[in-house]
């Protein structure tokens, strides 16, 4: 990155918000339901950011990578869904300058500039409701599967200054996510959740409201309920990245705060001034 690149992104007087979105099923990209209507409403209230930095549960890599494409593919990283979902495109541009700026913020962490990834469904299934015109540049940051949750937290804290440069930081995953235990027979019950899923979701929200990010990391394997709720970390970590960028002057505004299929919660948040 040159100094000229850096100064194209001067600090602003206001912070872009931080968001975490429970993305749930890829079908949410093309369905109109309570979850997607709420995301759309939140998008209409946003001041358009200069760009979006998205941390998705669906891009895990060895080492840290960031997308550096100017144009990027819509990645259909799933199977067994209707053709309409595979036909769906979200042609948001990339932003190589933000990619370089992100790598600079994360130094001395080595960050690979990737030209081989695009937008996976963790990103585009929610972005299509936030910014349906696909006219805001999007850069994705990968999750290094070799890092511990505590190491991810320390890395995520370095991203916070990007908010002052007009960048919306967006985590996309699910706080409670056990796909193997979804009760497919009860999907019609809009707020059905197993006791352990509801218990963990409530405990997490209390910690998030207090901005106790250290405890959010430490609690992952703290009980049987947490082990059921977070059997693997990839859907949980995007929330940690988002929470690491919250400012002490802000509070957490929860929405879509309910379970789906028993073992997944769609709980989402956006920051707002106290």
């Amino acid at each position: 990155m040159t100094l000229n690149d850096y100064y194209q992104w001067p600090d602003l007087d206001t912070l872009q918000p931080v968001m975490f979105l429970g993305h749930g099923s890829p079908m949410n990209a093309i369905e109109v339901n309570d979850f997607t209507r709420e995301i759309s409403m939140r998008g209409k209230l946003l001041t358009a950011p200069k760009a979006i930095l998205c941390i998705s549960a669906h891009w895990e890599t060895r080492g840290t990578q960031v997308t550096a494409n100017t144009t990027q593919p819509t990645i259909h990283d799933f199977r067994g869904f209707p053709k309409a979902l595979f036909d769906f495109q979200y042609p948001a541009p990339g932003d190589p300058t933000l990619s370089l700026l992100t790598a600079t913020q994360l130094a001395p962490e080595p960050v690979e500039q990737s030209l081989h990834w695009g937008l996976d469904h963790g990103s585009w299934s929610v972005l299509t409701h936030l910014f349906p015109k696909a006219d805001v540049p999007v850069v994705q940051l990968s999750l290094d599967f070799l890092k511990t949750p505590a190491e991810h937290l320390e890395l995520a804290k370095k991203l916070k200054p990007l908010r002052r440069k007009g960048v919306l930081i967006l985590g996309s995953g699910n706080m409670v996510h056990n796909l193997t235990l979804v009760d497919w027979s009860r999907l019609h019950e809009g707020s059905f959740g197993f006791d352990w899923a509801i218990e963990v979701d409530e405990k997490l929200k209390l910690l998030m409201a207090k901005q106790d990010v250290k405890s959010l990391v430490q609690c992952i394997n703290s009980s049987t309920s947490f082990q059921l709720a977070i059997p693997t970390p990839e859907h949980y970590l995007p929330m940690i990245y988002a929470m690491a960028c919250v400012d002490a002057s802000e509070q957490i505004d929860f929405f879509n705060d309910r379970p789906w299929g028993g073992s997944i919660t769609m709980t989402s948040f956006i920051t707002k001034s106290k």
Side-chain angles (χ1 to χ4, degrees):
M1 170 176 285
T2 68
L3 283 176
N4 185 56
D5 290 324
Y6 188 86
Y7 288 118
Q8 287 178 13
W9 296 66
D11 285 354
L12 306 175
D13 293 334
T14 57
L15 291 171
Q16 271 289 328
V18 176
M19 297 189 77
F20 171 76
L21 295 176
H23 65 238
S25 167
M27 288 299 292
N28 285 323
I30 58 174
E31 290 182 347
V32 177
N33 54 43
D34 289 346
F35 299 128
T36 62
R37 277 191 287 266
E38 182 69 17
I39 294 173
S40 295
M41 185 274 287
R42 298 284 173 161
K44 291 174 183 175
L45 297 176
L46 290 172
T47 300
K50 184 164 185 172
I52 300 163
L53 179 66
C54 185
I55 301 93
S56 164
H58 293 278
W59 191 26
E60 292 186 278
T61 57
R62 182 183 294 271
T64 303
Q65 298 185 29
V66 63
T67 55
N69 306 332
T70 301
T71 58
Q72 51 197 342
T74 301
I75 300 172
H76 300 89
D77 49 332
F78 42 70
R79 58 185 178 181
F81 287 93
K83 183 176 183 295
L85 193 60
F86 287 93
D87 289 341
F88 183 89
Q89 297 291 313
Y90 189 77
D95 195 314
T97 300
L98 177 56
S99 179
L100 288 167
L101 182 56
T102 300
T104 300
Q105 285 295 140
L106 295 179
E109 173 78 11
V111 178
E112 179 182 343
Q113 305 290 299
S114 174
L115 299 175
H116 304 292
W117 197 250
L119 298 180
D120 58 57
H121 83 269
S123 292
W124 56 259
S125 67
V126 292
L127 285 170
T128 189
H129 300 294
L130 271 185
F131 300 103
K133 294 181 181 179
D135 55 352
V136 180
V138 183
V139 167
Q140 272 198 217
L141 180 68
S142 76
L143 295 170
D144 179 0
F145 60 76
L146 297 177
K147 282 185 166 49
T148 65
E151 289 171 331
H152 279 289
L153 172 58
E154 292 309 307
L155 192 68
K157 290 176 180 177
K158 297 181 179 182
L159 298 173
K160 186 175 178 180
L162 293 176
R163 299 182 58 196
R164 187 69 67 182
K165 295 184 179 294
V167 178
L168 171 64
I169 295 176
L170 170 66
S172 177
N174 291 97
M175 284 165 35
V176 172
H177 184 272
N178 193 324
L179 198 56
T180 63
L181 295 182
V182 169
D183 188 340
W184 301 101
S185 69
R186 299 180 69 175
L187 294 185
H188 66 284
E189 299 181 36
S191 295
F192 164 64
F194 296 119
D195 289 345
W196 52 264
I198 295 171
E199 172 197 342
V200 169
D201 194 73
E202 291 298 323
K203 288 181 177 178
L204 292 176
K205 285 184 294 183
L206 288 174
L207 292 175
M208 293 163 72
K210 293 190 293 185
Q211 298 188 32
D212 187 353
V213 190
K214 184 177 180 180
S215 292
L216 288 170
V217 168
Q218 294 174 339
C219 72
I220 292 178
N221 293 307
S222 60
S223 69
T224 300
S225 292
F226 273 90
Q227 291 165 6
L228 286 168
I230 313 169
T232 55
E234 77 288 338
H235 276 75
Y236 186 79
L237 288 172
M239 180 272 286
I240 295 296
Y241 273 78
M243 284 299 304
C245 295
V246 176
D247 192 77
S249 66
E250 298 173 307
Q251 62 186 23
I252 306 298
D253 182 13
F254 294 105
F255 60 97
N256 280 349
D257 182 14
R258 55 191 178 89
W260 179 86
S263 62
I264 292 174
T265 61
M266 297 293 287
T267 305
S268 305
F269 78 80
I270 187 170
T271 54
K272 63 181 183 180
S273 299
K274 291 181 179 178

